[in-house]
Amino acid sequence: MAKLYFKFGAMGSSKTAQALMTKFNYEEKGKQVLLIKPSTDNRDDLTDNEGFVHTMVRSRIGLQAEAVAVDEQEDIRALFHRKLNHAPLDVLICDECQFLTETQVEQMKDLADLDDIPVLCFGLRADFQTKLFPGSKRLFEIADSITEIKSVCRCGRKATVNARFDDNGEIIVEGDQICIGGNDRYEGMCYKCYRELIRNRNH
Ligand SMILES: [Zn+2]
């Protein structure tokens, strides 16, 4: 029986690289993979004749692949079946899965349970205020397999939260959960260092 997998980590934990390596591994075994990504940033987007929006998934170490962008209204299970009409598909991989809606996570669970398609989701656990993203929350609730992709804080402890910084390197604690097109920078950190930066802010 196929499973819904959630592989989560902090910023800089190579989630995207791992998503792309997983895609490569399946393809090496002759499996066809549909790679998708929630559309929060449409700089690379291009709509084809069938109405699918193509975008790029890029990892910091240089790996990249074309993906289908999905907006919040998209029914992911229906999208997968629409794609199946054009070509065989065996696996669904989603990068940046924290941006999915709860309903979309449920559609992916159905895809695994009812259609026997393995679904692998890669994304962040929490936002810059240490709160779960909606997609990640639902994945923690219903995924069949949950794995942490570990990375290290500047102090050497495990990074668990994602700090957001402004242009001056000052930590930001207020604002929208998703920052699109901003110049904000993120860093995966341990909670202790994150709290320390907030306490020492503007001193
Ligand atoms: Zn730390």
Side-chain angles (χ1 to χ4, degrees):
M1 200 62 218
K3 286 182 183 173
L4 172 62
Y5 298 84
F6 180 29
K7 295 169 191 286
F8 71 93
M11 293 295 287
S13 62
S14 76
K15 294 176 304 299
T16 296
Q18 296 213 17
L20 296 176
M21 287 188 287
T22 304
K23 176 175 182 286
F24 178 80
N25 288 339
Y26 272 109
E27 287 168 352
E28 224 182 4
K29 288 170 191 136
K31 304 282 188 194
Q32 306 301 316
V33 177
L34 177 63
L35 180 64
I36 63 168
K37 180 181 152 183
S39 45
T40 50
D41 167 0
N42 49 16
R43 273 175 297 185
D44 293 325
D45 291 4
L46 208 80
T47 306
D48 70 15
N49 296 335
E50 273 101 36
F52 295 110
V53 181
H54 296 262
T55 188
M56 289 302 288
V57 167
R58 292 194 174 89
S59 74
R60 290 170 309 131
I61 59 165
L63 298 175
Q64 60 175 53
E66 203 181 289
V68 173
V70 296
D71 66 25
E72 289 193 338
Q73 312 309 323
E74 192 84 57
D75 180 328
I76 293 181
R77 188 172 170 224
L79 170 98
F80 191 89
H81 283 281
R82 276 207 324 278
K83 272 277 177 191
L84 259 181
N85 292 333
H86 299 278
L89 280 175
D90 306 294
V91 182
L92 179 69
I93 296 179
C94 179
D95 191 33
E96 307 274 20
C97 64
Q98 70 272 12
F99 297 135
L100 296 170
T101 66
E102 297 202 3
T103 306
Q104 287 175 322
V105 173
E106 288 157 15
Q107 291 157 358
M108 292 173 133
K109 177 73 170 129
D110 283 346
L111 192 63
D113 289 345
L114 307 179
D115 305 314
D116 206 23
I117 298 294
V119 179
L120 297 97
C121 295
F122 294 79
L124 297 173
R125 169 160 68 179
D127 65 18
F128 74 106
Q129 293 173 318
T130 72
K131 301 291 168 58
L132 289 176
F133 282 98
S136 308
K137 175 176 176 287
R138 198 69 188 123
L139 279 160
F140 276 122
E141 289 164 346
I142 66 172
D144 301 295
S145 162
I146 298 170
T147 326
E148 183 167 21
I149 302 172
K150 294 189 175 123
S151 60
V152 181
C153 173
R154 38 170 98 161
C155 73
R157 289 190 193 87
K158 189 173 78 178
T160 54
V161 306
N162 302 299
R164 184 192 280 180
F165 298 90
D166 64 17
D167 282 342
N168 304 317
E170 189 85 1
I171 191 162
I172 300 172
V173 292
E174 273 160 20
D176 292 334
Q177 189 172 45
I178 306 176
C179 156
I180 302 159
N183 293 320
D184 296 357
R185 290 159 185 82
Y186 291 89
E187 184 181 334
M189 306 186 89
C190 76
Y191 186 77
K192 186 165 181 273
C193 288
Y194 165 84
R195 289 295 304 161
E196 221 158 81
L197 280 181
I198 293 171
R199 273 196 303 272
N200 297 335
R201 205 158 51 115
N202 296 323
H203 281 200

Short mmCIF file of all heavy atoms in Angstrom, two decimals, residues 34-42 44-47 51-57 66-72 74 76 79 82-83 100 104:
data_model
loop_
_atom_site.label_atom_id
_atom_site.label_comp_id
_atom_site.label_asym_id
_atom_site.label_seq_id
_atom_site.Cartn_x
_atom_site.Cartn_y
_atom_site.Cartn_z
N LEU A 34 5.73 12.86 -10.94
CA LEU A 34 5.18 14.21 -11.12
C LEU A 34 5.68 15.05 -9.95
O LEU A 34 5.43 14.74 -8.79
CB LEU A 34 3.65 14.18 -11.14
CG LEU A 34 2.98 15.57 -11.24
CD1 LEU A 34 3.35 16.25 -12.55
CD2 LEU A 34 1.47 15.46 -11.11
N LEU A 35 6.41 16.11 -10.29
CA LEU A 35 6.93 17.03 -9.27
C LEU A 35 6.03 18.26 -9.24
O LEU A 35 5.77 18.86 -10.28
CB LEU A 35 8.37 17.42 -9.63
CG LEU A 35 9.10 18.39 -8.70
CD1 LEU A 35 9.31 17.78 -7.32
CD2 LEU A 35 10.47 18.78 -9.30
N ILE A 36 5.56 18.61 -8.06
CA ILE A 36 4.72 19.80 -7.94
C ILE A 36 5.26 20.73 -6.87
O ILE A 36 6.05 20.33 -6.01
CB ILE A 36 3.23 19.46 -7.62
CG1 ILE A 36 3.12 18.78 -6.25
CG2 ILE A 36 2.62 18.61 -8.72
CD1 ILE A 36 1.69 18.69 -5.74
N LYS A 37 4.79 21.98 -6.94
CA LYS A 37 5.23 22.99 -5.98
C LYS A 37 4.12 24.03 -5.84
O LYS A 37 3.61 24.51 -6.84
CB LYS A 37 6.50 23.64 -6.53
CG LYS A 37 7.10 24.72 -5.69
CD LYS A 37 8.34 25.26 -6.40
CE LYS A 37 8.59 26.69 -6.04
NZ LYS A 37 9.74 27.25 -6.76
N PRO A 38 3.72 24.35 -4.62
CA PRO A 38 2.71 25.39 -4.44
C PRO A 38 3.20 26.71 -5.06
O PRO A 38 4.38 27.04 -4.94
CB PRO A 38 2.58 25.52 -2.92
CG PRO A 38 3.09 24.23 -2.39
CD PRO A 38 4.16 23.79 -3.34
N SER A 39 2.30 27.42 -5.72
CA SER A 39 2.74 28.64 -6.41
C SER A 39 2.66 29.84 -5.50
O SER A 39 1.61 30.46 -5.35
CB SER A 39 1.91 28.87 -7.66
OG SER A 39 0.55 28.68 -7.38
N THR A 40 3.76 30.16 -4.85
CA THR A 40 3.83 31.37 -4.02
C THR A 40 4.66 32.41 -4.74
O THR A 40 4.59 33.59 -4.45
CB THR A 40 4.51 31.07 -2.68
OG1 THR A 40 5.74 30.39 -2.94
CG2 THR A 40 3.63 30.22 -1.79
N ASP A 41 5.44 31.94 -5.68
CA ASP A 41 6.38 32.81 -6.37
C ASP A 41 6.31 32.40 -7.83
O ASP A 41 6.69 31.30 -8.18
CB ASP A 41 7.77 32.54 -5.78
CG ASP A 41 8.88 33.15 -6.62
OD1 ASP A 41 8.60 33.77 -7.65
OD2 ASP A 41 10.05 32.97 -6.23
N ASN A 42 5.74 33.28 -8.69
CA ASN A 42 5.51 32.83 -10.07
C ASN A 42 6.46 33.44 -11.09
O ASN A 42 6.13 33.56 -12.26
CB ASN A 42 4.05 33.05 -10.47
CG ASN A 42 3.60 34.46 -10.13
OD1 ASN A 42 4.43 35.33 -9.87
ND2 ASN A 42 2.30 34.68 -10.10
N ASP A 44 8.98 32.15 -12.46
CA ASP A 44 9.40 31.20 -13.50
C ASP A 44 8.21 30.56 -14.22
O ASP A 44 8.40 29.71 -15.07
CB ASP A 44 10.21 30.05 -12.86
CG ASP A 44 11.53 30.54 -12.31
OD1 ASP A 44 12.13 31.43 -12.93
OD2 ASP A 44 11.97 30.01 -11.27
N ASP A 45 7.00 30.94 -13.84
CA ASP A 45 5.84 30.19 -14.33
C ASP A 45 5.53 30.41 -15.80
O ASP A 45 5.69 31.49 -16.35
CB ASP A 45 4.61 30.54 -13.50
CG ASP A 45 4.72 30.01 -12.09
OD1 ASP A 45 5.79 29.45 -11.77
OD2 ASP A 45 3.77 30.17 -11.32
N LEU A 46 5.03 29.34 -16.42
CA LEU A 46 4.69 29.34 -17.84
C LEU A 46 3.51 28.38 -18.01
O LEU A 46 3.61 27.23 -17.60
CB LEU A 46 5.90 28.80 -18.63
CG LEU A 46 6.07 29.30 -20.05
CD1 LEU A 46 6.72 30.69 -19.99
CD2 LEU A 46 6.98 28.36 -20.82
N THR A 47 2.40 28.85 -18.58
CA THR A 47 1.24 27.99 -18.73
C THR A 47 1.25 27.31 -20.10
O THR A 47 1.46 27.97 -21.11
CB THR A 47 -0.06 28.81 -18.57
OG1 THR A 47 0.02 29.51 -17.33
CG2 THR A 47 -1.29 27.91 -18.55
N GLY A 51 -3.17 23.87 -19.94
CA GLY A 51 -3.52 24.66 -18.75
C GLY A 51 -2.66 24.35 -17.54
O GLY A 51 -2.91 24.87 -16.45
N PHE A 52 -1.64 23.51 -17.69
CA PHE A 52 -0.74 23.24 -16.57
C PHE A 52 0.27 24.37 -16.47
O PHE A 52 0.80 24.84 -17.48
CB PHE A 52 0.00 21.91 -16.77
CG PHE A 52 -0.91 20.71 -16.76
CD1 PHE A 52 -1.14 19.99 -17.92
CD2 PHE A 52 -1.54 20.32 -15.59
CE1 PHE A 52 -1.99 18.89 -17.92
CE2 PHE A 52 -2.40 19.22 -15.58
CZ PHE A 52 -2.62 18.50 -16.75
N VAL A 53 0.52 24.79 -15.24
CA VAL A 53 1.48 25.87 -15.02
C VAL A 53 2.84 25.27 -14.67
O VAL A 53 2.97 24.56 -13.67
CB VAL A 53 1.01 26.82 -13.89
CG1 VAL A 53 2.01 27.94 -13.69
CG2 VAL A 53 -0.37 27.37 -14.21
N HIS A 54 3.82 25.51 -15.51
CA HIS A 54 5.15 24.96 -15.27
C HIS A 54 6.01 25.97 -14.52
O HIS A 54 5.96 27.15 -14.80
CB HIS A 54 5.82 24.61 -16.60
CG HIS A 54 5.09 23.53 -17.34
ND1 HIS A 54 5.48 22.22 -17.29
CD2 HIS A 54 3.97 23.57 -18.09
CE1 HIS A 54 4.63 21.49 -18.00
NE2 HIS A 54 3.70 22.28 -18.49
N THR A 55 6.77 25.45 -13.57
CA THR A 55 7.67 26.31 -12.81
C THR A 55 8.98 25.55 -12.60
O THR A 55 9.13 24.43 -13.09
CB THR A 55 7.02 26.72 -11.47
OG1 THR A 55 7.83 27.71 -10.85
CG2 THR A 55 6.83 25.54 -10.54
N MET A 56 9.92 26.16 -11.90
CA MET A 56 11.19 25.47 -11.63
C MET A 56 11.36 25.25 -10.14
O MET A 56 11.00 26.09 -9.33
CB MET A 56 12.38 26.30 -12.14
CG MET A 56 12.52 26.37 -13.64
SD MET A 56 12.68 24.75 -14.46
CE MET A 56 14.33 24.28 -13.98
N VAL A 57 11.93 24.09 -9.80
CA VAL A 57 12.33 23.82 -8.42
C VAL A 57 13.86 23.88 -8.42
O VAL A 57 14.50 23.18 -9.20
CB VAL A 57 11.84 22.43 -7.97
CG1 VAL A 57 12.51 22.00 -6.68
CG2 VAL A 57 10.32 22.44 -7.80
N GLU A 66 12.05 20.86 -13.59
CA GLU A 66 10.78 21.50 -13.88
C GLU A 66 9.69 20.87 -13.02
O GLU A 66 9.72 19.66 -12.77
CB GLU A 66 10.45 21.32 -15.36
CG GLU A 66 9.50 22.37 -15.86
CD GLU A 66 9.17 22.18 -17.33
OE1 GLU A 66 10.05 22.41 -18.17
OE2 GLU A 66 8.02 21.77 -17.60
N ALA A 67 8.75 21.68 -12.59
CA ALA A 67 7.65 21.18 -11.77
C ALA A 67 6.35 21.81 -12.23
O ALA A 67 6.36 22.78 -12.99
CB ALA A 67 7.91 21.55 -10.31
N VAL A 68 5.24 21.25 -11.78
CA VAL A 68 3.94 21.86 -12.03
C VAL A 68 3.58 22.70 -10.80
O VAL A 68 3.65 22.22 -9.67
CB VAL A 68 2.86 20.78 -12.27
CG1 VAL A 68 1.47 21.42 -12.37
CG2 VAL A 68 3.17 20.00 -13.55
N ALA A 69 3.24 23.96 -11.05
CA ALA A 69 2.86 24.85 -9.95
C ALA A 69 1.39 24.64 -9.62
O ALA A 69 0.56 24.50 -10.52
CB ALA A 69 3.09 26.30 -10.36
N VAL A 70 1.06 24.57 -8.34
CA VAL A 70 -0.33 24.41 -7.93
C VAL A 70 -0.76 25.58 -7.05
O VAL A 70 -0.06 25.92 -6.09
CB VAL A 70 -0.57 23.06 -7.19
CG1 VAL A 70 -0.31 21.89 -8.10
CG2 VAL A 70 0.29 22.93 -5.94
N ASP A 71 -1.88 26.20 -7.40
CA ASP A 71 -2.37 27.26 -6.53
C ASP A 71 -3.31 26.66 -5.48
O ASP A 71 -3.57 25.47 -5.50
CB ASP A 71 -3.02 28.40 -7.33
CG ASP A 71 -4.29 27.96 -8.04
OD1 ASP A 71 -4.94 26.99 -7.58
OD2 ASP A 71 -4.64 28.56 -9.06
N GLU A 72 -3.81 27.52 -4.60
CA GLU A 72 -4.59 27.02 -3.46
C GLU A 72 -5.91 26.35 -3.86
O GLU A 72 -6.46 25.56 -3.11
CB GLU A 72 -4.90 28.20 -2.52
CG GLU A 72 -3.69 28.68 -1.77
CD GLU A 72 -4.06 29.60 -0.63
OE1 GLU A 72 -5.17 30.18 -0.67
OE2 GLU A 72 -3.25 29.75 0.30
N GLU A 74 -6.29 24.41 -6.49
CA GLU A 74 -6.04 23.19 -7.26
C GLU A 74 -6.37 21.94 -6.44
O GLU A 74 -5.95 21.80 -5.29
CB GLU A 74 -4.55 23.16 -7.65
CG GLU A 74 -4.19 22.12 -8.68
CD GLU A 74 -4.45 22.59 -10.10
OE1 GLU A 74 -3.90 23.62 -10.50
OE2 GLU A 74 -5.23 21.91 -10.78
N ILE A 76 -5.32 18.46 -5.99
CA ILE A 76 -4.08 17.80 -6.37
C ILE A 76 -4.32 16.38 -6.90
O ILE A 76 -3.68 15.94 -7.85
CB ILE A 76 -3.07 17.81 -5.21
CG1 ILE A 76 -2.65 19.27 -4.95
CG2 ILE A 76 -1.84 16.96 -5.52
CD1 ILE A 76 -1.65 19.46 -3.86
N LEU A 79 -5.59 16.84 -10.36
CA LEU A 79 -4.47 17.26 -11.21
C LEU A 79 -3.62 16.06 -11.62
O LEU A 79 -3.25 15.91 -12.79
CB LEU A 79 -3.59 18.27 -10.47
CG LEU A 79 -2.26 18.63 -11.14
CD1 LEU A 79 -2.39 19.93 -11.92
CD2 LEU A 79 -1.12 18.74 -10.16
N ARG A 82 -5.48 14.15 -14.20
CA ARG A 82 -5.45 14.87 -15.49
C ARG A 82 -4.12 14.63 -16.18
O ARG A 82 -4.05 14.39 -17.37
CB ARG A 82 -5.65 16.37 -15.28
CG ARG A 82 -7.09 16.78 -15.17
CD ARG A 82 -7.38 18.23 -15.60
NE ARG A 82 -6.38 19.23 -15.29
CZ ARG A 82 -6.27 19.84 -14.10
NH1 ARG A 82 -7.08 19.53 -13.11
NH2 ARG A 82 -5.36 20.78 -13.93
N LYS A 83 -3.04 14.66 -15.41
CA LYS A 83 -1.70 14.41 -15.95
C LYS A 83 -1.58 12.97 -16.44
O LYS A 83 -0.92 12.69 -17.45
CB LYS A 83 -0.65 14.68 -14.87
CG LYS A 83 -0.20 16.12 -14.82
CD LYS A 83 0.87 16.34 -15.88
CE LYS A 83 1.31 17.79 -15.95
NZ LYS A 83 2.15 18.04 -17.13
N LEU A 100 0.94 24.13 1.14
CA LEU A 100 -0.30 23.49 0.70
C LEU A 100 -1.42 23.84 1.68
O LEU A 100 -1.15 24.14 2.85
CB LEU A 100 -0.13 21.97 0.67
CG LEU A 100 0.88 21.41 -0.32
CD1 LEU A 100 1.09 19.93 -0.04
CD2 LEU A 100 0.41 21.62 -1.75
N GLN A 104 -5.62 20.16 0.46
CA GLN A 104 -4.70 19.57 -0.53
C GLN A 104 -3.91 18.42 0.07
O GLN A 104 -3.63 17.44 -0.61
CB GLN A 104 -3.77 20.66 -1.09
CG GLN A 104 -4.49 21.60 -2.04
CD GLN A 104 -3.63 22.75 -2.50
OE1 GLN A 104 -2.84 23.31 -1.73
NE2 GLN A 104 -3.77 23.12 -3.76
#
